[in-house]
C-alpha cells in the first residue's frame, strides 16, 4: 500500500540533548531536562508561551515515582494552562503525537521532550515490568537476557557471529568519539559475557539524559531554521507480544513502518537506528534494507548513550541535526520500544537543496 | 539567606512493592489451571496452528480463539542464552539458560529457563522436558524449569475441554523494585535546611515568586530557579479543611484541621496541620508558626502566633 502524503509540511527545526552520564544524583528530572528545553527555545527564538503543543515521553518506573512527569512540566511553563500531552514511552512516540497534532492543523509549532534517569534503579529489572504479566514477567527475564535470545537466534540462522557483533560495537563507539554528549566513547574491550552470547560491549551503557526538539509547519519552519529537516513520512508498528510467536531474526514491523513512511521510495544517505544491543542493528539493517553505502549511527547510537525514554527521540534529533548542518539530504530515523524490537517507529527526513 | 554553595546531595533507599491482582480470561484460566494439574494446554488458531502459551485472540487475524489443545511436556529448544549471574526473583538461583521451547504439538515457543550444568550442555535443537514445581498454584512458575531429556510417562496430546475442578480465575503477581532516590539539587537544599529548622525556597529570576518547597523551576515562566531564600517561620492560613476520619497508623485525634499556609516571603502556600487551637476556631487569615517535635525532620504542626489576623488582601493571591 502506497504511503499517504502528509497534508502539511512539518519539520524538525531544533534539537538539543544533555550530556549523558552514568548518574546525575545532583539533578532532579526537571533540573536534568531544563537546559535542553532552553537550548531548543533559544535556537528558535521561541518562548514557551509561543509553543502550540507540548508533548513528552518518560516512564514512572525508571524513577519509581507515580506521575513523575507532572513535576517535569514545571520546566515548560505549564501555568497558565498549556496544550500538553504525555506518552509513557520513548519521546519518539511523543514526537509522533505532536506531528499528528500539527498535521491536523491543531498547532503550528510543538515542543517535544523525552528524559530518563536509569541510575536510581536497576534498569534491567525495571524493564521486566513492561512484559506480559501472566506468562513472562513472573520469571523476571531482564532486558539483556531477552536481547541475548534474539542474538543467539541470529547466530543460529547464520546472520551474524560474535566477531561481527563486536565490530558493530567498536564502530559505534568509534563514531561516538565525535559526539561530545555520548557516555561511552572510543575503543574499549568487549568484556565478559553478560548473558551469553552478549558481552558487556554488545550492551548499551546505563545512564541518565534528556533531549528536546521543536517541530514547526510550513513557512513557520523556514522562519525558525535555515535548513529545516522536513518529515516526509512517519509510521509506527508493533509485533505480536509473545516472543515465541515471532521470528526474532526479522522485524516485519520495522519494515512495514519504513514502507509506510516512504523510506523505500528513494535511497537514504544516513540512518540513525535505535538498536540498544549490537545484534539488533543486524536485524534492522536487513529489515530496513540499508546498504553499506548508508552512514549508520554517525552519532554512535544507543551503544554509546542510552538514556531510556529519550534514546529514540535522540535518533530523530541526530538525523535532523545532520540535515540542519547540511551533512545529510535524506535520512532515516528509527526508534524502538519493548523487548527484542517489539515496537518500531520510522521517520524519513529531508533537507531542501 | 542567599547562597550558591552546592548542598550535599541526599540519598535514601526507596522500595516500590506491589502485589498486582489480575483476573484471567477463559483461555488463560484453563492454561494456568492446567499447569497446576501438570497438563500443558495450547490454543488452535483459525489456520490450524497451535499457540503455546495460549492467547485469546489470534496474533495475526485478531480473531477470537477458544479451541484448547493439550500438548506434551517435552519439546525442542528453539533458541537460548546462558545466564551466568541469576538476578533476584529469577526461577533458578544458580547459573542457567534462558530458553524458548517449542513443546511437542505446538507451533510456537514458550519462554522459560533450563537447568543445565553449563553453556556447553545447551544447544539450539536440544530435547528438553518440564520439571514441575513441587507446590503448584496455577502460575507460570508451576513449571519450575526445563531440564534436558524426554518424558518419563506417556502423555496423550489432543483436544482438551479446558474443564478442571476448581478453576484458577486470577493471579497475584508480586513485584518489588529497589531504588536509591536522590531528590536533586533544589530539594536537597530544602531538606537540608529543614534539619536546621529553616524553610528554604527558591526565587524565580523572572516573576520573583519564591517557590517552597523548591523544585528547581518556575512553572509559570519555565525558567530554572537558583537563588535560595529563607521564608517564614511564621505564615498565614489561606484556606483549610476539617478532617473527621482517622487515618490508619496516624496518631492524631479527630477532628483536626489541615490547612494551606503561606509562609512569610513565600510565593505559594504549603500544607500543614493546625494545632494549639480548637478546630472550630481556625479561620482564613490566622497567623501561625511551626512547632517542631524533638528530632523531627519537618514541622509537626503549626500553632497560632497570637498576632492579629492578616488582612485578606495580603494573601488573596496565594489561595
Ligand atoms: Zn517565574
Amino acid at each position: 500500500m502506497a504511503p499517504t502524503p502528509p497534508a502539511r509540511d512539518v519539520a524538525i527545526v531544533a534539537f538539543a540533548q544533555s550530556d549523558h552520564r552514568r548518574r546525575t544524583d545532583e539533578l532532579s528530572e526537571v533540573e536534568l531536562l531544563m537546559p535542553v528545553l532552553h537550548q531548543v527555545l533559544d535556537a528558535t527564538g521561541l518562548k514557551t508561551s509561543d509553543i502550540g503543543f507540548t508533548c513528552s515521553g518518560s516512564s514512572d518506573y525508571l524513577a519509581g515515582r507515580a506521575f513523575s512527569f507532572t513535576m517535569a512540566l514545571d520546566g515548560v511553563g505549564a501555568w497558565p494552562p498549556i496544550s500538553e500531552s504525555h506518552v509513557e514511552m520513548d519521546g519518539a512516540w511523543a514526537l509522533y503525537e505532536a506531528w499528528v497534532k500539527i498535521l491536523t492543523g491543531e498547532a503550528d509549532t510543538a515542543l517535544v521532550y523525552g528524559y530518563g534517569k536509569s541510575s536510581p534503579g536497576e534498569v534491567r529489572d525495571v524493564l521486566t515490568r513492561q512484559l506480559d504479566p501472566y506468562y513472562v514477567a513472573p520469571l523476571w527475564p531482564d532486558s539483556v537476557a531477552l536481547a541475548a535470545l534474539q542474538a543467539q537466534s541470529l547466530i543460529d540462522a547464520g546472520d551474524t557471529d560474535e566477531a561481527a557483533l563486536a565490530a558493530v560495537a567498536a564502530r559505534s563507539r568509534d563514531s561516538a568519539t565525535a559526539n561530545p554528549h555520548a557516555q561511552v566513547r572510543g575503543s574499549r574491550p568487549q568484556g565478559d559475557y553478560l548473558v551469553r552470547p552478549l558481552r558487556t560491549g554488545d550492551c548499551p551503557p546505563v545512564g541518565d539524559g534528556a533531549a528536546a526538539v521543536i517541530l514547526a509547519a510550513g513557512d513557520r519552519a523556514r522562519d525558525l531554521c535555515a535548513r529545516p529537516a522536513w518529515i516526509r513520512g512517519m509510521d509506527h508498528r508493533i509485533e505480536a507480544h509473545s516472543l515465541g510467536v515471532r521470528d526474532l531474526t526479522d522485524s516485519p514491523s520495522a519494515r512495514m513502518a519504513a514502507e509506510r513512511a516512504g523510506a523505500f521510495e528513494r535511497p537514504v544517505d544516513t540512518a540513525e537506528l535505535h538498536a540498544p544491543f549490537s545484534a539488533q542493528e543486524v536485524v534492522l539493517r536487513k529489515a530496513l534494507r540499508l546498504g553499506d553505502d548508508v552512514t549508520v549511527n554517525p552519532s554512535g547510537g544507543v551503544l554509546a548513550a542510552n538514556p531510556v525514554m529519550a534514546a529514540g527521540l535522540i535518533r530523530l534529533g541526530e538525523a535532523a541535526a545532520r540535515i540542519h548542518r547540511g551533512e545529510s539530504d535524506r535520512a532515516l530515523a528509527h526508534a524502538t520500544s519493548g523487548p527484542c524490537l517489539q515496537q518500531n517507529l520510522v521517520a524519513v527526513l529531508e533537507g531542501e537543496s | 539567606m542567599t547562597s550558591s554553595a552546592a548542598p550535599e546531595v541526599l540519598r535514601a533507599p526507596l522500595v516500590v512493592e506491589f502485589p498486582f491482582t489480575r483476573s484471567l480470561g477463559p483461555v488463560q484460566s484453563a492454561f494456568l489451571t492446567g499447569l497446576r494439574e501438570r497438563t500443558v494446554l495450547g490454543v488452535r488458531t483459525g489456520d490450524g496452528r497451535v499457540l503455546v502459551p495460549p492467547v485469546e485472540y489470534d496474533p495475526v487475524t485478531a480473531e477470537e480463539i477458544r479451541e484448547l489443545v493439550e500438548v506434551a511436556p517435552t519439546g525442542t529448544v528453539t533458541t537460548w542464552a546462558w545466564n551466568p549471574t541469576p538476578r533476584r526473583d529469577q526461577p533458578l538461583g544458580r547459573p542457567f539458560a534462558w530458553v524458548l521451547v517449542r513443546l511437542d504439538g505446538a507451533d510456537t515457543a514458550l519462554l522459560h529457563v533450563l537447568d543445565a550444568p553449563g553453556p556447553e550442555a545447551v544447544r539450539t535443537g536440544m530435547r528438553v522436558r518440564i520439571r514441575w514445581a513441587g507446590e503448584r498454584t496455577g502460575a507460570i512458575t508451576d513449571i519450575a524449569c526445563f531440564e534436558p531429556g524426554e518424558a518419563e510417562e506417556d502423555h496423550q496430546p489432543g483436544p482438551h475441554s479446558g474443564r478442571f475442578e476448581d478453576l484458577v480465575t486470577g493471579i497475584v503477581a508480586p513485584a518489588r523494585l529497589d531504588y536509591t532516590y536522590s531528590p536533586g539539587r533544589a530539594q536537597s537544599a530544602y531538606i537540608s535546611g529543614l534539619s536546621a529548622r529553616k524553610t528554604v525556597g527558591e526565587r524565580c529570576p523572572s516573576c520573583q515568586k519564591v517557590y517552597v518547597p523548591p523544585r528547581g523551576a518556575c512553572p509559570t515562566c519555565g525558567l530554572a530557579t537558583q537563588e535560595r531564600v529563607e521564608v517564614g517561620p511564621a505564615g498565614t492560613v489561606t484556606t483549610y479543611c476539617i478532617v473527621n476520619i482517622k487515618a490508619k497508623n496516624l496518631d492524631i485525634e479527630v477532628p483536626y484541621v489541615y490547612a494551606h499556609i503561606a509562609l512569610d516571603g513565600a510565593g505559594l502556600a504549603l500544607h500543614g496541620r493546625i494545632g494549639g487551637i480548637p478546630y472550630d476556631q481556625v479561620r482564613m487569615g490566622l497567623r501561625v508558626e511551626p512547632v517542631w517535635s524533638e528530632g523531627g525532620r519537618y514541622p509537626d504542626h503549626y500553632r497560632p502566633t497570637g498576632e492579629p489576623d492578616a488582612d485578606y488582601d495580603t494573601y488573596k493571591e496565594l489561595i
Side-chain angles (χ1 to χ4, degrees):
Chain A
M1 194 172 157
T4 314
R8 285 177 98 186
D9 287 335
V10 181
I12 296 177
V13 296
F15 166 59
Q17 62 183 312
S18 63
D19 292 344
H20 308 296
R21 294 190 280 137
R22 177 63 188 87
R23 342 187 46 87
T24 53
D25 291 354
E26 74 285 10
L27 299 175
S28 65
E29 287 167 318
V30 68
E31 289 166 338
L32 179 71
L33 183 61
M34 219 155 7
V36 300
L37 295 173
H38 292 168
Q39 273 180 53
V40 288
L41 290 166
D42 290 349
T44 54
L46 295 171
K47 298 189 298 294
T48 51
S49 53
D50 299 327
I51 297 292
F53 181 59
T54 299
C55 200
S56 61
S58 68
S59 173
D60 284 352
Y61 278 79
L62 289 173
R65 303 176 74 208
F67 294 101
S68 64
F69 74 92
T70 59
M71 304 285 182
L73 275 176
D74 286 353
V76 296
W79 178 265
I82 58 172
S83 171
E84 181 273 335
S85 183
H86 174 260
V87 297
E88 187 78 8
M89 262 183 106
D90 190 289
W93 275 261
L95 189 150
Y96 184 92
E97 183 176 337
W99 179 64
V100 170
K101 194 87 168 178
I102 296 178
L103 288 181
T104 59
E106 292 282 308
D108 294 326
T109 53
L111 172 63
V112 179
Y113 59 90
Y115 63 91
K117 287 188 74 168
S118 295
S119 60
E122 289 285 341
V123 72
R124 287 173 69 179
D125 298 331
V126 168
L127 292 177
T128 64
R129 301 301 93 192
Q130 70 183 340
L131 303 169
D132 170 356
Y134 302 96
Y135 300 159
V136 181
L139 306 173
W140 292 81
D142 62 281
S143 47
V144 179
L146 296 175
L149 287 168
Q150 184 168 36
Q152 185 63 43
S153 58
L154 284 163
I155 291 170
D156 288 341
D159 287 358
T160 193
D161 55 32
E162 289 193 33
L165 297 181
V168 168
R171 196 209 71 242
S172 299
R173 289 169 184 133
D174 279 352
S175 299
T177 51
N179 177 354
H181 303 289
Q183 186 179 335
V184 180
R185 281 174 280 173
S187 68
R188 63 181 222 160
Q190 267 296 80
D192 294 331
Y193 287 122
L194 223 47
V195 180
R196 182 172 169 166
L198 294 180
R199 296 175 182 273
T200 316
D202 293 304
C203 303
V206 176
D208 303 347
V213 306
I214 289 179
L215 303 180
D219 288 340
R220 198 75 200 280
R222 291 183 185 90
D223 293 343
L224 297 172
C225 180
R227 193 173 193 251
W230 299 103
I231 301 171
R232 296 304 186 205
M234 182 156 43
D235 196 88
H236 62 94
R237 300 281 155 166
I238 180 168
E239 309 283 340
H241 74 261
S242 176
L243 286 175
V245 170
R246 295 167 50 186
D247 172 2
L248 294 177
T249 68
D250 196 8
S251 182
S253 61
R255 186 182 302 112
M256 190 183 286
E259 193 178 333
R260 298 285 298 163
F264 302 140
E265 288 171 6
R266 282 196 311 287
V268 296
D269 54 50
T270 303
E272 278 286 342
L273 304 180
H274 187 183
F277 298 92
S278 58
Q280 294 176 344
E281 184 179 306
V282 177
V283 177
L284 290 169
R285 276 178 182 266
K286 186 169 72 170
L288 299 173
R289 302 179 198 159
L290 300 174
D292 291 339
D293 53 337
V294 178
T295 306
V296 173
N297 287 348
S299 64
V302 191
L303 288 172
N306 184 31
V308 175
M309 300 296 150
L313 179 63
I314 291 170
R315 307 282 69 76
L316 286 136
E318 288 278 9
R322 270 176 84 80
I323 289 172
H324 295 161
R325 296 193 298 263
E327 293 165 8
S328 168
D329 293 323
R330 182 171 157 88
L332 180 150
H334 161 266
T336 195
S337 185
C340 301
L341 301 172
Q342 185 187 18
Q343 313 194 37
N344 294 284
L345 178 149
V346 174
V348 177
L349 306 175
E350 280 184 356
E352 279 162 355
S353 46
Chain B
M1 181 187 79
T2 300
S3 159
S4 59
E8 184 197 357
V9 174
L10 301 173
R11 282 193 193 87
L14 171 68
V15 178
V16 177
E17 275 184 291
F18 27 83
F20 273 128
T21 305
R22 298 179 180 277
S23 55
L24 304 172
V27 170
Q28 290 179 313
S29 173
F31 176 69
L32 292 180
T33 309
L35 294 185
R36 191 190 66 199
E37 306 304 323
R38 300 169 36 131
T39 297
V40 188
L41 300 182
V43 67
R44 197 184 298 280
T45 64
D47 63 0
R49 285 162 21 105
V50 174
L51 309 181
V52 178
V55 291
E56 280 148 6
Y57 296 89
D58 187 313
V60 178
T61 63
E63 213 184 331
E64 190 173 307
I65 43 179
R66 294 288 182 271
E67 187 189 338
L68 297 170
V69 179
E70 185 177 353
V71 299
T74 52
T76 303
V77 170
T78 64
T79 194
W80 62 284
W82 184 256
N83 184 22
T85 44
R87 302 174 77 79
R88 188 182 73 197
D89 300 324
Q90 291 181 344
L92 292 172
R94 54 187 174 276
F96 62 84
W98 290 103
V99 282
L100 282 167
V101 177
R102 191 170 56 236
L103 292 170
D104 299 332
D107 294 291
T108 62
L110 173 83
L111 178 80
H112 220 289
V113 305
L114 172 68
D115 190 9
E120 59 291 333
V122 187
R123 61 182 173 78
T124 296
M126 75 184 285
R127 297 285 297 161
V128 294
R129 67 179 173 219
I130 289 173
R131 181 191 298 163
W132 295 102
E135 205 174 298
R136 294 181 306 281
T137 60
I140 192 66
T141 45
D142 289 353
I143 298 176
C145 60
F146 282 87
E147 60 190 19
E150 295 290 344
E152 285 163 350
E153 46 192 286
D154 271 354
H155 275 266
Q156 296 297 322
H160 194 285
S161 67
R163 280 195 287 274
F164 294 96
E165 294 276 314
D166 189 19
L167 273 175
V168 176
T169 57
I171 60 167
V172 178
R176 173 185 170 136
L177 294 169
D178 283 67
Y179 301 88
T180 302
Y181 180 64
S182 295
R185 179 196 56 79
Q187 293 186 78
S188 283
Y190 171 74
I191 295 166
S192 301
L194 285 178
S195 66
R197 301 196 173 182
K198 291 181 194 306
T199 302
V200 177
E202 284 189 348
R203 190 190 309 278
C204 172
S206 175
C207 68
Q208 305 297 317
K209 220 172 174 182
V210 174
Y211 288 91
V212 52
R215 296 207 294 256
C218 172
T220 305
C221 306
L223 289 175
T225 56
Q226 298 277 348
E227 185 195 348
R228 263 180 252 150
V229 181
E230 188 178 333
V231 299
T236 301
V237 171
T238 62
T239 186
Y240 64 94
C241 63
I242 299 166
V243 180
N244 286 291
I245 294 173
K246 201 171 164 71
K248 213 171 154 186
N249 305 326
L250 194 63
D251 191 22
I252 299 171
E253 284 307 311
V254 292
Y256 65 87
V257 174
Y258 199 69
H260 275 189
I261 301 156
L263 295 181
D264 296 346
L268 75 168
L270 43 69
H271 309 226
R273 182 168 65 88
I274 306 297
I277 180 173
Y279 72 91
D280 57 357
Q281 290 177 28
V282 174
R283 55 203 180 263
M284 289 168 73
L286 182 70
R287 295 284 296 158
V288 293
E289 63 188 6
V291 177
W292 298 77
S293 55
E294 184 65 34
R297 304 197 60 178
Y298 48 87
D300 178 71
H301 64 276
Y302 290 77
R303 69 178 170 216
T305 61
E307 298 165 81
D309 284 5
D311 187 55
Y312 178 67
D313 284 339
T314 64
Y315 63 86
K316 68 179 182 189
E317 301 293 333
L318 304 178
I319 293 174

